[in-house]
Amino acid sequence: MGAIKALNSLQSNANAIQEARNRMLNGTSKQFNNVDTTLKYIKRIGLKLEELEPRVIHISGTKGKGSTAIMTEALLRKAPYKTGLFLSPHITSVRERIMINGIPLSQKVFIEYFWSVFDLLSQNKDDETDMPSYFKFLTIMALKVFISEKVDVAVIEVGIGGELDCTNVFKKTPVVGITSIGLDHTKLLGDTVDKIAWQKAGIMKPGCVAFTVPDQSSSVLQVFQDRAREKECRFEVVPHLSEYPIDHERFNYPQKLNASLAIQLAKAWTIWNNNGSHSSYNRTEINQEKEKVLLNCTTPGRCQVLRENGNNVCYYLDGAHTVESMEVAKQWFQENSSKNAKRILIFNVTGGRSPISLLKMLVECQFSEAIFCTNCISEKEDDLPEDLVSKGTCLEEACNKVKENLNAWKSVGGSNGHAVTSVAEAIFLAKQLSNGQSTGVLFTGSLHLVGSALFLLRPDHDST
């Protein structure tokens, strides 16, 4: 069995996910405490977390935590430090989740580390079912990689929430960051932004310094301040990017939200690493070299543009799936797509999320056509790369969701809606509907949709 096939065996299947979803809808389930079970598996393979703890920057939040992590890592790599980076989800290759010095592990190295962890875990099971879940396994594997590769600093993005997330296994971390808070995963984290903020702030540790962005609501900031007192750590709001001596207008909107947080995380960790304390520093000092590093940072599947040679169609990809992130995606698309071009929407939303609130916003973009599809690359299972296999996906359920999305589009005043089964069909239909005219096609609503689109549109995709 190949490494990715073995990894996929750790995914929950569609029936298990539906049962868990039903329990949540009935109010009989909540987010599972993943910390204790993750620690059990970490102990099983003999990892010593204290070797890594002083070198960790931990990042949670609803939107922007991935891009913040990428920018923080890039700044530290330029310093130069040897960096580790753990992200989720991946877009086209699972190796994107674990990077050393900004580069995904090679296939050879990924496979070697995978089996070294998998074999130890599977040989010492308490019972036949005693193996970590997919994300939990990758978290453990990333920690193993960072310790073995002796990184100077590891930037780790939270999966879901913070307090109970399986990345929250450290007793002490010197620096943590919390990005913008919004409503997402409400069945697991709570149905208000304050409840969600409480969970996200769970990564705060005694003696650390915790930073957040300046666009949080006053109630969210109060939650963070209360949690900081509880956790006995220092809490700060970072400056607006406009307060730095740089041309902040050169940064796109998502970068503006997250660049200042990345700057402060990198600064604070560097100072702590140098003298073992959180001493004061010039918060808004930045040189042109670091500004260039930030400007050159890109996040796959976020505000990404692809053009095909000899084709009048331009593809805009952003995996926005919350109201807050969709507002950013909408603004970005409207500012960057030609007003004289035809506009086509390709959309899907998953995870029990309601499509109406997102589609209400997208109607404003005045799409001439809207195509709704599943996240499946193709109807042919053989066409699906193992890195993009999702056992949590039932095709019948996914197709029903497509119909729900189409009906939601009609209910908010959208016109010319089409339903298809796969992303390949959606791209083919979009090209037909463009009719040779200059056309901007926006993929949004799901990072998994964007990942499938990138696999089909980008010639340099590489699966493990």
Side-chain angles (χ1 to χ4, degrees), residues 314-346:
C314 182
Y315 300 99
Y316 299 82
L317 302 100
D318 192 288
H321 54 270
T322 68
V323 170
E324 294 83 5
S325 58
M326 189 60 76
E327 180 62 40
V328 174
K330 181 191 74 172
Q331 181 177 332
W332 166 74
F333 177 71
Q334 289 181 312
E335 289 177 355
N336 289 274
S337 62
S338 171
K339 292 179 174 58
N340 297 321
K342 194 171 189 176
R343 289 179 171 180
I344 296 176
L345 171 67
I346 297 180

Side-chain angles (χ1 to χ4, degrees), residues 320-425:
H321 54 270
T322 68
V323 170
E324 294 83 5
S325 58
M326 189 60 76
E327 180 62 40
V328 174
K330 181 191 74 172
Q331 181 177 332
W332 166 74
F333 177 71
Q334 289 181 312
E335 289 177 355
N336 289 274
S337 62
S338 171
K339 292 179 174 58
N340 297 321
K342 194 171 189 176
R343 289 179 171 180
I344 296 176
L345 171 67
I346 297 180
F347 180 91
N348 191 34
V349 68
T350 59
R353 298 180 178 92
S354 170
I356 289 182
S357 58
L358 304 181
L359 291 172
K360 272 182 183 177
M361 302 163 69
L362 291 171
V363 167
E364 299 172 25
C365 295
Q366 298 181 322
F367 292 102
S368 59
E369 311 280 350
I371 304 170
F372 300 89
C373 63
T374 68
N375 293 335
C376 300
I377 287 176
S378 166
E379 289 185 82
K380 300 177 183 177
E381 290 186 8
D382 292 343
D383 291 345
L384 189 65
E386 286 186 331
D387 294 63
L388 298 179
V389 166
S390 174
K391 289 189 175 182
T393 300
C394 166
L395 185 59
E396 181 181 359
E397 182 184 343
C399 288
N400 288 336
K401 188 67 175 180
V402 169
K403 294 174 185 175
E404 179 189 337
N405 293 339
L406 175 57
N407 290 333
W409 177 249
K410 293 175 181 176
S411 73
V412 297
S415 59
N416 298 331
H418 311 266
V420 298
T421 303
S422 69
V423 181
E425 287 180 276

Side-chain angles (χ1 to χ4, degrees), residues 101-139:
N101 286 332
I103 300 172
L105 299 182
S106 68
Q107 291 187 10
K108 180 176 181 294
V109 172
F110 182 95
I111 290 169
E112 287 173 353
Y113 273 113
F114 174 85
W115 287 117
S116 71
V117 175
F118 190 91
D119 288 345
L120 279 174
L121 289 172
S122 59
Q123 289 166 8
N124 297 281
K125 294 189 290 188
D126 294 337
D127 55 62
E128 283 305 307
T129 64
D130 185 25
M131 284 289 283
S133 61
Y134 184 94
F135 179 75
K136 195 172 296 178
F137 180 93
L138 288 171
T139 301

